[in-house]
Amino acid sequence: MSSSSSDVVVDSAPTAPTPPRALPNGLAAFLVFLSSGAVLVLETVSLRLVGPYVGVTLQVTSSVIGMALAAIAYGAWMGGFLADRRDPRTLLAPALVLAGIATAVTLPVVRYAGEALRGGAASAVLLLTALAVLVPAALLAGVTPLVVKLQLADLRRTGQVVGRLSGIGTLGGITATMVTGFVLVAALPSTVIVLGLAALLGATGLALGVYLRRRAGTGLPGPARAKAALAVLGLAGAGLATVAPNPCDVETAYHCARVEVDPQWTQGRTLYLNSAEHSYVDLADPTHLKYAYTQWMGLVADAAAPKGQRLDALHLGGGGFTMPRYLTATRPGTANLVFEIDGGLVELDRRELGVRTGPELRAAVGDARVLLDAEPTDSRDLIVGDAFGHLVVPWHLATREMAAEIRRVLRPDGIYVQNVIDLPPDRFIRAELATVAAEFRHVALVAPPGAIAGRYGSNFLIVGSDAPLPLARIQVGLRTLPEQASLLHDDELTAYVGDALVLTDDYAPVDQLLATA
C-alpha cells in the first residue's frame, strides 16, 4: 500500500501569520507628526517652567535639551522593544493617554519641586529638568516605532515607510518649535500651553482607542476601572496645576515677572524676573535708589557732568526703568532711550511701575546689540549697560565687538557704565574688565571691598571712557553712600585684572566663567 508524497507536502506546509493591519497612511502620519511635535513643545516650554527656580543659563538650556534627547532615545528604544512583542494597536492609544496625563502632572510636580530646588546648583538643574521632560517625552517618543511597526506590512517598502515617517516626525518637531517659540509662548501662559497639550494628547488617545476598537477590536485595553483611574489621574494632575504655587504674576516672552509692594514703604515696588530681585522703584521719589549698584550709577552720572545738565543717555536693558527715571528727575530735559528686548516687560512697567514714555523717555523693543548698530556715531553722553538673562550678562553684550560699538556711539568725553554680577573666584568680572579696557583708554571698577577680595559675590560696576574719568569726584561720592565701596583704577585695576581673557564674538564662555566650581 503506497502513500502520496504530494499530499504530505501540502498538509505540512506552514501557514504564514497574518501581519497586523496597517493604519491608514494619513492617520499614521498624523500620529507621528503629533507625538514628535509634542516632544518639542514640552522641551521649549520646560525652559519656562524651570527658569523661575534655577535661572535661564546655558547650563539650564543644555540640561533641558539633554533630558529631552535622553527621553527620545529611551522612549524610541522602549517603543521598538514593545512593538516586537505585542500588537502595536493595543499600545498606541494608552501611550498617548498616559503622555497626556504625564504632561498635566508635570506642572504641579515642577512647581512644588522647584520651590525646594531653588538655585543654580548642577544637581538641582538636572533634577528639575528631568522632572519637567523625561516621562512625557519618553512616552511620546515611543509612538513613532509603534506606528512604523504597523506600517511595515511589505518588507520591500521598508526604506520608503521608515524614511517617510521619520521625515514627518522631523517636520512635526520643526513646526512645533517654530509655533511654540514665535506664537504660543508670546500669546499664552505656560500653564495654558502645557494643559492644552495634555488635553490634546489625551483626547487624541481616547479617540484613537475608540477608532481602533471599532475597526479591529483593539484600543484601550483593561477593565473599566483602570480606564476610570486614568481619567481621574489626568483630572487630578490638571487640578493640582491650578493650585500649585505660581511664581509669576505675568509671563512675558522672556520672563516670569512679578511686582511686589515694599512692606516698609507703600510707594516702593520691587520687580522680580524669574524669581530674581531685579529692580526697585519708588513711585513717589524717582531719585530714591535702593540698591548699591544703582547708587554707583547715579554717582557716576552726577560726577560726569555739572549738576542739572541734560544728557543724551542710552540704556541697554530696561528692567524697572529706575535709572532713566533718576536721570529725568535730576537732569530735566535728558533724552533717555531704552533698549529692552522684552516688550511684555515694558507693558508691565507701564501698568505697575509708573513708566511714562514720551520725548524724554523712549523705549525701543529689541535686542540691544542689534538696535545699537543703528545708533549714530558720537551721539550719547552716557551709556548704561544693565541687561541680564537671569543673573548673567548675555554673552553677545559682553564682547570686545560690543564694547567697540558702545565706544563708537559715545561722544569722545562720554562714559559707559556696566553692571556685572559675579561670584568668587570672580573670573567673569576680570574678563569683562579686560574686554572693556581693550577698547576704552580709561577704565575703573566700583565694588564692595569684600567682593573685590573674593570673599562673596556682588554687583560690580565697570566705568569706561576715552576721556579721563572723574575719579576724585567719584571717590568723594562713594564715601557718602550707606554701603562701603572701593574704587579701583590704574595700577590697582591692572593687578586685579591680571591676565584675564578678553571676550570676543568668537569666544565668550560667559556661563563657564561664572561657574563657581
Side-chain angles (χ1 to χ4, degrees), residues 278 312-328 334-343 345-346 349-350 355-369 371-372 375 380 382-387:
H278 193 277
D312 291 313
L314 175 63
H315 304 262
L316 311 178
F321 284 61
T322 303
M323 290 313 300
R325 286 162 49 90
Y326 174 82
L327 293 176
T328 299
T334 290
N336 291 286
L337 174 60
V338 179
F339 292 163
E340 173 54 57
I341 196 170
D342 193 344
L345 180 58
V346 176
D349 289 339
R350 289 191 174 111
V355 170
R356 299 291 180 267
T357 52
E360 294 185 351
L361 176 56
R362 294 185 295 127
V365 176
D367 187 279
R369 179 76 180 264
L371 295 175
L372 189 65
E375 286 297 293
R380 297 289 165 177
L382 177 68
I383 295 181
V384 178
D386 195 16

Side-chain angles (χ1 to χ4, degrees), residues 34-404:
L34 173 66
S35 58
S36 300
V39 172
L40 271 296
V41 173
L42 281 170
E43 180 180 341
T44 304
V45 177
S46 290
L47 281 170
R48 314 278 300 181
L49 296 180
V50 304
Y53 308 104
V54 294
V56 185
T57 64
L58 180 62
Q59 284 81 5
V60 174
T61 303
S62 300
S63 181
V64 168
I65 294 172
M67 290 298 173
L69 290 174
I72 291 170
Y74 180 76
W77 174 81
M78 182 57 69
F81 177 84
L82 293 174
D84 286 342
R85 284 156 178 79
R86 295 190 60 180
D87 184 348
R89 292 171 299 172
T90 66
L91 301 174
L92 276 173
L96 287 169
V97 171
L98 287 172
I101 293 171
T103 299
V105 172
T106 289
L107 271 174
V109 167
V110 169
R111 286 177 174 167
Y112 282 112
E115 295 294 333
L117 296 172
R118 285 186 181 276
S123 57
V125 170
L126 291 170
L127 179 55
L128 198 58
T129 53
L131 292 173
V133 177
L134 271 181
V135 174
L139 287 166
L140 289 165
V143 170
T144 295
L146 294 174
V147 173
V148 168
K149 177 73 174 182
L150 284 174
Q151 302 307 98
L152 290 179
D154 185 354
L155 295 181
R156 293 172 298 178
R157 298 177 59 248
T158 298
Q160 179 181 343
V161 170
V162 173
R164 181 175 67 87
L165 291 177
S166 296
I168 290 171
T170 301
L171 287 175
I174 293 171
T175 303
T177 301
M178 296 298 181
V179 171
T180 305
F182 282 89
V183 180
L184 294 182
V185 168
L188 298 170
S190 298
T191 300
V192 174
I193 297 173
V194 173
L195 292 182
L197 179 63
L200 175 61
L201 293 172
T204 301
L206 292 173
L208 179 65
V210 171
Y211 168 80
L212 292 175
R213 186 168 59 250
R214 290 178 176 176
R215 186 168 183 257
T218 61
L220 279 174
R225 288 182 180 179
K227 299 175 185 178
L230 288 176
V232 169
L233 184 59
L235 291 174
L240 281 174
T242 62
V243 299
N246 190 339
C248 314
D249 288 340
V250 174
E251 278 194 69
T252 69
Y254 293 89
H255 298 107
C256 162
R258 76 178 190 273
V259 175
E260 292 188 358
V261 177
D262 186 343
Q264 298 180 338
W265 173 235
T266 58
Q267 294 300 305
R269 300 290 186 273
T270 302
L271 171 66
Y272 290 84
L273 299 180
N274 295 327
S275 295
E277 195 170 334
H278 193 277
S279 301
Y280 183 89
V281 173
D282 189 328
L283 300 179
D285 182 9
T287 67
H288 175 201
L289 303 177
K290 177 181 178 180
Y291 301 142
Y293 81 89
T294 58
Q295 295 168 9
W296 304 336
M297 288 180 175
L299 174 59
V300 172
D302 294 341
K307 186 177 181 179
Q309 176 180 311
R310 71 171 298 279
L311 298 172
D312 291 313
L314 175 63
H315 304 262
L316 311 178
F321 284 61
T322 303
M323 290 313 300
R325 286 162 49 90
Y326 174 82
L327 293 176
T328 299
T330 57
R331 298 172 178 275
T334 290
N336 291 286
L337 174 60
V338 179
F339 292 163
E340 173 54 57
I341 196 170
D342 193 344
L345 180 58
V346 176
E347 293 303 316
L348 177 65
D349 289 339
R350 289 191 174 111
R351 290 195 308 271
E352 301 289 340
L353 300 181
V355 170
R356 299 291 180 267
T357 52
E360 294 185 351
L361 176 56
R362 294 185 295 127
V365 176
D367 187 279
R369 179 76 180 264
V370 176
L371 295 175
L372 189 65
D373 290 341
E375 286 297 293
T377 300
D378 298 339
S379 60
R380 297 289 165 177
D381 302 301
L382 177 68
I383 295 181
V384 178
D386 195 16
F388 284 85
H390 193 53
L391 301 178
V392 180
V393 177
W395 73 267
H396 68 302
L397 304 184
T399 65
R400 181 172 184 174
E401 290 83 354
M402 179 64 175

Side-chain angles (χ1 to χ4, degrees), residues 444-465:
L445 174 68
V446 181
I452 292 174
R455 292 196 296 269
Y456 51 80
S458 175
N459 292 84
F460 297 78
L461 187 70
I462 299 173
V463 186
S465 179

